[in-house]
Amino acid sequence: MMTKKVRIENADTSNHKLVVQVWQKGAAMPDGLGGTNQAPDVMASEHAINSPTDMVDCYVHSHEYLVVREVVPSDV
């Protein structure tokens, strides 16, 4: 399993805020009937990017992924 460090920066001067989320993929689990069910993905951490030049360092590996999205009023 390879771990990778990534950096995400707010590279403009707008007032829009961002959030970076690190998600862990759900594991396959036996369903008791000879098959498997996929567990839901789980958010491991969340990092705010609120100001110009704010930067977030995150580590991800093969069982994780990043979501970068704009913060909307319903999030607050």
Side-chain angles (χ1 to χ4, degrees):
M1 172 172 49
M2 184 175 123
T3 299
K4 188 72 177 171
K5 181 178 183 179
V6 296
R7 225 176 250 143
I8 300 169
E9 178 186 5
N10 181 4
D12 68 20
T13 58
S14 73
N15 292 329
H16 301 286
K17 297 181 182 200
L18 298 172
V19 65
V20 178
Q21 298 172 332
V22 180
W23 286 83
Q24 295 177 338
K25 295 179 187 176
M29 300 169 52
D31 64 5
L33 303 172
T36 57
N37 288 328
Q38 189 72 27
D41 295 354
V42 177
M43 187 171 46
S45 60
E46 185 172 73
H47 310 274
I49 300 179
N50 294 324
S51 304
T53 71
D54 276 359
M55 192 175 308
V56 170
D57 290 332
C58 297
Y59 289 91
V60 293
H61 58 77
S62 62
H63 295 91
E64 293 181 327
Y65 59 94
L66 299 177
V67 173
V68 180
R69 65 180 184 82
E70 185 176 359
V71 175
V72 294
S74 61
D75 292 338
V76 209

